[in-house]
Amino acid sequence: AEIIESRLNPEDFRDVTFYEGAGCFECGGTGYHGRSAIHELLDLSERMRELILEKRPASEIKRVAREEGMTTLRESAIERVKAGITTLREINKVTFIE
């Protein structure tokens, strides 16, 4: 149910084991220890530079960035879920559901 609420394809998670920390006094009951970065990096290619300078719509810039291989913040977070580092609930707090 949480996968569907997160607007993700359940087929992409068929073989994924989901983890949830039990929590303790040390972590304040969160089940997390430390931090893990999620990131979105835009490679400023010549094509991207031209689109920005021409003040093209953000939707067009995003489309081209994706075509050029940019990984979004949410995709980075989903990879952390698949690796067992965090939970869907946690990434839904800090990323936009598209």
Side-chain angles (χ1 to χ4, degrees):
E2 205 167 328
I3 293 171
I4 293 168
E5 288 173 16
S6 300
R7 293 200 181 129
L8 299 169
N9 182 358
E11 286 299 314
D12 294 341
F13 293 87
R14 182 165 301 282
D15 298 323
V16 174
T17 301
F18 291 90
Y19 299 94
E20 181 109 16
C24 63
F25 178 77
E26 296 270 326
C27 70
T30 65
Y32 294 103
H33 174 74
R35 295 179 183 202
S36 178
I38 55 175
H39 58 278
E40 179 174 89
L41 183 63
L42 173 63
D43 184 18
L44 198 55
S45 67
E46 190 59 38
R47 184 176 176 199
M48 290 301 299
R49 186 183 319 270
E50 289 173 9
L51 292 173
I52 293 168
L53 290 173
E54 293 171 3
K55 298 184 181 177
R56 303 299 304 168
S59 59
E60 182 179 351
I61 293 171
K62 185 175 182 178
R63 181 184 53 76
V64 171
R66 303 274 299 138
E67 287 172 5
E68 292 187 356
M70 183 184 85
T71 300
T72 66
L73 195 64
R74 183 147 178 95
E75 289 168 338
S76 175
I78 289 169
E79 289 305 312
R80 298 289 191 279
V81 170
K82 288 181 176 181
I85 296 169
T86 191
T87 63
L88 281 176
R89 184 175 300 124
E90 189 66 19
I91 71 165
N92 287 340
K93 289 181 192 176
V94 296
T95 63
F96 294 109
I97 297 175
E98 296 177 14

